[in-house]
Amino acid sequence: MSDWINTLPDPAQAYLEGRRLDEVECIVADLPGIARGKAVPASKFARQQHFHLPDSIFYQTITGDWGEAAGEEGFIERDMILRPDMTTATAAPWTGDWTLQVIHDAFDRDGSPIPFAPRNVLRRVVEMYHERGMKPVVAPEMEFFLVARNLDPAKEIEPMMGRSGRPAAARQAYSMTAVDEFGPVIDDIYDFAEAQGFEIDGITQEGGAGQLEINLRHGSPVKLADEVFFFKRLIREAALKHDCFATFMAKPIEDEPGSSMHVHHSILDAKTGENLFSDKDGSETEMFYHFIGGLQKHLPDAIAVLAPYVNSYRRYVKDHAAPINLAWARDNRTTGIRVPLAPPEARRVENRLAGMDCNPYLGIAASLACGLLGIMNQETPDGEFKGDAYAGEADIPRVLGTALDMFDNATDLHDLLGPDFARVYSIVKRAEYEEFLQVISPWEREHLLLNV
């Protein structure tokens, strides 16, 4: 047992130093990004090389129903083989005992990766970069709200009470006083992240009431997606300790900004490590422009992945800190594609369309796939936008149904993400959309009941 513990990543070893490991949570992210799996005693985990779960966990909708996503043989719920990636072993510091979490990869009985497992989808796209001698690097930004406990879905979501005893205030972006209002929750977020070995680049107050942003250090796409997956769970647990909820809904409170997962991209030469977006003289390369061109041309087809729920589209509102089109510009936060201020070696492209409600593996995979299509096809972007992009025309889907239609027709995008993934994803999302359309909203009852 001790020999196995000694092979763990350093943060996990430090967490367990002088303590007895009780349990290991064997987990995998499903399509929405929910952790699925099982908890086993540490002694059993030390003996097992894999465990099984039915592949139907990837057919499940956010409401717990099932999409009719079966293959040619029908719905037979085959067992998958889940193998641990021990580089992901990390603490679960909110538990009452000494517990580790380990992300597992999903394979079929022949040892092939399950094509609709989100981590495998991202790995597939990253490998396509590697095959071309390129190494993608990403840095996600996570926005979320801390809100009052909400036990009644019919009740509007309200900001949490701060330590002053007053509800969190809106329109206090970058206010240190506003951040201090959530001090106890933020302290636990830092403590949990440290125990898990995650490096936070910074926490800021955003424009919404109780809205915060956490920036992560740049790194490999799979590693950073793992961290976002873990972070969502640890942030929720930190909030619950202080009698509030953390929500990653794209638009939880009307008339407030939504929550995004901005993703910064750069591409390195796999051999030299040099930034392929910058030439030797520091100027921008053709690849830099092709990547932007790929985002502009193909992101509309990928919006169904970046904005996966009906609520996601409520975020794309003028003047509410979310893009409405695919214009690109340098140092301009009104555009959907932004080039931040940076020296040539750190030149990068920021995709501002993804919502925080997307699965991090799938959101990053879709964004990288669009950029890669631009590189492969040498797509030319529109000219750099000047001014306020909110004054321009909206050119992204505004409802999930339209986004899914565009996704279904994007066979070039399917080739990168995987045709089986595209099939299953569309079926599951359409099942969710059809279920939503059965719900009559308060707005409809208020304005249509007696007036039409």
Side-chain angles (χ1 to χ4, degrees), residues 145-168:
F145 279 81
L146 296 175
V147 301
R149 291 175 70 92
N150 184 294
L151 305 181
D152 180 1
K155 183 181 178 183
E156 292 185 358
I157 295 172
E158 299 175 348
M160 69 167 285
M161 288 290 180
R163 64 174 186 166
S164 67
R166 307 175 77 179

Side-chain angles (χ1 to χ4, degrees), residues 85-253:
D85 180 348
M86 294 308 298
T87 66
T88 70
T90 188
W94 50 84
T95 57
D97 53 12
W98 299 101
T99 301
L100 292 181
Q101 309 169 80
V102 181
I103 293 173
H104 286 54
D105 286 311
F107 302 91
D108 63 22
R109 66 189 69 185
D110 297 323
S112 299
I114 298 294
F116 33 82
R119 200 168 190 249
N120 290 340
V121 174
L122 178 54
R123 276 218 174 103
R124 175 188 172 99
V125 174
V126 170
E127 184 56 35
M128 291 181 177
Y129 276 88
H130 291 171
E131 290 171 357
R132 293 165 173 79
M134 299 182 291
K135 180 182 177 182
V137 174
V138 302
E141 300 173 353
M142 300 186 299
E143 294 179 349
F144 59 96
F145 279 81
L146 296 175
V147 301
R149 291 175 70 92
N150 184 294
L151 305 181
D152 180 1
K155 183 181 178 183
E156 292 185 358
I157 295 172
E158 299 175 348
M160 69 167 285
M161 288 290 180
R163 64 174 186 166
S164 67
R166 307 175 77 179
R171 290 150 185 80
Q172 297 295 326
Y174 305 107
S175 164
M176 295 310 300
T177 300
V179 170
D180 289 343
E181 279 286 275
F182 319 121
V185 182
I186 291 174
D187 287 345
D188 278 333
I189 290 173
Y190 274 122
D191 289 345
F192 290 168
E194 183 178 1
Q196 294 186 248
F198 302 149
E199 186 174 356
I200 296 176
D201 216 29
I203 294 182
T204 57
Q205 164 75 24
E206 284 295 310
Q211 188 182 32
L212 298 173
E213 177 180 285
I214 292 179
N215 299 331
L216 302 181
R217 293 274 295 170
H218 62 273
S220 72
V222 175
K223 179 178 182 294
L224 267 296
D226 287 341
E227 289 193 12
V228 175
F229 173 57
F230 277 136
F231 254 105
K232 281 189 169 185
R233 192 176 185 198
L234 81 83
I235 291 168
R236 288 192 183 100
E237 292 291 342
L240 288 172
K241 279 190 63 177
H242 298 278
D243 200 35
C244 63
F245 288 171
T247 180
F248 301 94
M249 280 179 67
K251 188 78 166 184
I253 305 175

